[in-house]
């Protein structure tokens, strides 16, 4: 529909607003247009899916013809390509749909296309309804088969054993800091980082259909979420007991059999347990964000906007860290984060987890890492992967 004709139609709608017959006819004609567009979109999505199936055939033949030596299974999931597709969607978008919302639609289309190539089993730190679950769905889309694990170690094990193809674990929260269990997981595993997800943490005050709000006696949530909403709870529910449970998903699950309880949790938990969001965005700090890592076996090709993570085992001497950082600065590589962890079982020895901009295939990144090697006991490249797009 041209701009002019849609304006004319709006005028027409205004003139005939009291004339219900005309209004109904006009509505019907717009809906016919929507049906026709839906028809085209559906055909195009299926055409896209058929192309993805062709890509899958190429990937399978590649293995069958023994083109690679390092794997007997074709790798269908290509995070660098997905990042490029999503970036292109956002760059060419002209609205009225917002760039990010449009990219989320394409995220789901790609998720379905990948599922058609090969269903993907993704382990995440559970239970169902946690923010890690939300991060897994945000990154892989809803067509992926997401499987909850009890601990971060279990996520690593599941991926190592090949029972899940990839894993999703939290690594840092903007207000609570780094998740040590995840960093330590890399010290005893050879898995790689193949992607990252950033998730703004928005908390909801959830109730079930049978909840009697006037009679609330308990509010369940994970202790971190209770802490993130402390001020809001002090103002709105100062006299209701706050009960810390193992996860937000568990908090939401408990409402099923309790009419006198509420829970604080995210959107995924609300949807998963069919709860009503009585209040939304109740966190005291609205910019609170958690970063998650995607772990897997394979090295990822450059996407054009990548990060590289390394873990460095330093010599136990004064000034060791300064020496390690010099090559990064010399080769113009910018470091985005550094974390220190004890190097077990050695007492007082430390490892540094360093994130930098760029892919290991880029000359300055590989030169910087090569220059670090002689200065330390060990350097391991945890992975080069696309920066979070959404
Ligand atoms: O380009 C590919 O390698 C594809 O398999 C196609 C496609 C897509 O739908 O665009 C699907 C899955 C991959 O993770 C990346 C992209």
């Amino acid at each position: 529909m041209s701009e002019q004709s849609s304006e004319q139609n709006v005028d027409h709608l205004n003139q005939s607003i009291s004339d219900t017959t005309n209004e109904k006819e006009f509505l019907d004609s717009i809906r016919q247009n929507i049906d026709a567009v839906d028809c085209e979109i559906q055909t195009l999505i299926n055409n896209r899916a058929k192309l993805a199936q062709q890509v899958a055939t190429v990937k399978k033949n590649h293995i069958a013809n023994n083109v690679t030596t390092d794997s007997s299974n074709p790798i269908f999931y290509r995070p660098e390509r997905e990042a490029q597709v999503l970036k292109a969607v956002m760059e060419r978008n002209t609205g009225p749909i917002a760039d990010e919302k449009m990219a989320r639609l394409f995220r789901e289309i790609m998720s379905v296309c990948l599922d058609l190539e090969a269903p993907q089993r993704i382990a995440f730190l559970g239970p169902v309804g946690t923010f890690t679950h939300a991060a897994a769905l945000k990154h892989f889309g809803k067509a992926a088969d997401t499987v909850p694990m009890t601990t971060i170690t279990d996520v690593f094990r599941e991926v190592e054993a090949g029972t899940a193809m990839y894993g999703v674990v939290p690594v840092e929260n903007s207000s609570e800091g780094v998740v040590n269990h995840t960093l330590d997981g890399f010290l005893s595993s050879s898995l790689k980082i193949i992607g990252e997800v950033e998730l703004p943490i928005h908390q909801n005050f959830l109730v079930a259909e049978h909840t009697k709000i006037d009679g609330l006696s308990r509010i369940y949530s994970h202790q971190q979420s209770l802490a993130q909403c402390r001020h809001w709870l002090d103002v709105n529910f100062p006299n209701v007991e706050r009960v810390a449970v193992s996860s937000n998903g568990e908090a939401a699950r408990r409402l099923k059999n309790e009419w006198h309880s509420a829970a604080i949790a995210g959107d995924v938990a609300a949807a998963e347990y069919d709860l009503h969001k009585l209040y939304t965005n109740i966190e005291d700090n609205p910019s609170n964000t958690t970063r998650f890592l995607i772990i897997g076996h394979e090295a990822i090709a450059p996407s054009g906007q990548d990060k590289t993570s390394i873990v460095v085992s330093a010599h136990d001497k004064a000034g060791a860290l300064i020496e390690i950082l010099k090559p990064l600065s010399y080769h113009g590589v910018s470091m985005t984060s550094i974390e220190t962890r004890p190097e077990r079982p050695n007492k007082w020895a430390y490892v540094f987890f360093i994130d930098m901009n760029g892919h290991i295939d880029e000359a300055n990144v590989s030169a910087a890492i090569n220059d670090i090697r002689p200065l330390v006991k060990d350097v391991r490249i945890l992975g080069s992967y696309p920066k979070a797009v959404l």
Side-chain angles (χ1 to χ4, degrees), residues 122-141 146-152 155 166-173 179 182 197-201 222 224-225 246-249 266-269 290-295:
I122 315 296
F124 67 92
L125 175 64
V128 160
T130 54
F131 285 110
T132 314
H133 190 190
L137 293 172
K138 182 179 180 189
H139 191 78
F140 288 96
T146 47
V147 201
M149 296 289 128
T150 314
T151 63
I152 288 174
V155 178
Y166 305 100
V168 185
V169 285
V171 68
E172 65 177 312
N173 177 270
V179 181
T182 293
V197 196
E198 278 176 14
L199 197 73
I201 301 297
H222 187 268
Q224 257 190 26
S225 301
S246 57
S247 73
N248 291 346
D267 287 350
V268 172
T290 298
R291 197 171 150 254
F292 300 84
L293 295 178
I294 316 297
I295 54 176

Side-chain angles (χ1 to χ4, degrees), residues 48 55 59 76-78 81-82 85 110 113-114 117:
R48 190 187 190 289
V55 176
K59 289 172 186 168
F76 294 98
Y77 173 54
R78 298 294 164 91
R81 171 68 185 156
E82 295 206 354
V85 170
M110 268 197 295
C113 288
L114 176 58
E117 291 186 37

Side-chain angles (χ1 to χ4, degrees), residues 86 89 92 102-111:
L86 295 177
V89 167
R92 68 174 170 246
M102 181 60 90
R104 278 179 196 211
L105 288 175
F106 275 81
R107 160 69 288 152
E108 291 305 326
I109 293 173
M110 268 197 295
S111 178

Side-chain angles (χ1 to χ4, degrees), residues 33-219:
N33 285 342
I34 288 181
D35 288 344
V37 171
D38 283 352
C39 224
E40 279 180 55
I41 294 174
Q42 197 170 341
T43 307
L44 291 174
I45 292 176
N46 274 323
N47 286 349
R48 190 187 190 289
K50 285 178 203 159
L51 293 170
Q53 285 178 315
Q54 286 178 21
V55 176
T57 309
V58 173
K59 289 172 186 168
K60 280 179 208 154
N61 288 342
H62 197 67
I63 297 294
N65 297 339
N66 212 4
V67 181
T68 66
T69 50
D70 58 349
S71 164
S72 55
N73 291 320
I75 312 289
F76 294 98
Y77 173 54
R78 298 294 164 91
E80 76 287 3
R81 171 68 185 156
E82 295 206 354
Q84 286 163 349
V85 170
L86 295 177
K87 249 181 271 156
V89 167
M90 289 168 85
E91 274 163 22
R92 68 174 170 246
N93 191 46
T94 53
I97 297 176
D99 296 355
E100 192 170 325
K101 289 192 174 149
M102 181 60 90
R104 278 179 196 211
L105 288 175
F106 275 81
R107 160 69 288 152
E108 291 305 326
I109 293 173
M110 268 197 295
S111 178
V112 173
C113 288
L114 176 58
D115 181 59
L116 207 56
E117 291 186 37
Q120 304 290 303
R121 190 179 151 92
I122 315 296
F124 67 92
L125 175 64
V128 160
T130 54
F131 285 110
T132 314
H133 190 190
L137 293 172
K138 182 179 180 189
H139 191 78
F140 288 96
K142 295 192 179 70
D145 178 17
T146 47
V147 201
M149 296 289 128
T150 314
T151 63
I152 288 174
T153 312
D154 290 343
V155 178
F156 273 84
R157 277 202 202 119
E158 196 80 353
V159 181
E160 265 160 10
T163 328
M165 291 147 160
Y166 305 100
V168 185
V169 285
V171 68
E172 65 177 312
N173 177 270
S174 55
S175 44
E176 305 293 328
V178 69
V179 181
N180 291 330
H181 271 100
T182 293
L183 295 186
D184 291 348
F186 288 104
L187 299 180
S188 51
S189 164
S190 59
L191 287 179
K192 296 187 175 68
I193 303 173
I194 66 141
E196 63 168 4
V197 196
E198 278 176 14
L199 197 73
I201 301 297
H202 294 304
Q203 306 280 7
N204 306 303
F205 192 86
L206 302 177
V207 291
E209 211 169 301
H210 55 252
T211 310
K212 300 214 170 27
I213 294 152
D214 294 340
L216 280 186
S217 66
R218 262 184 216 161
I219 299 168

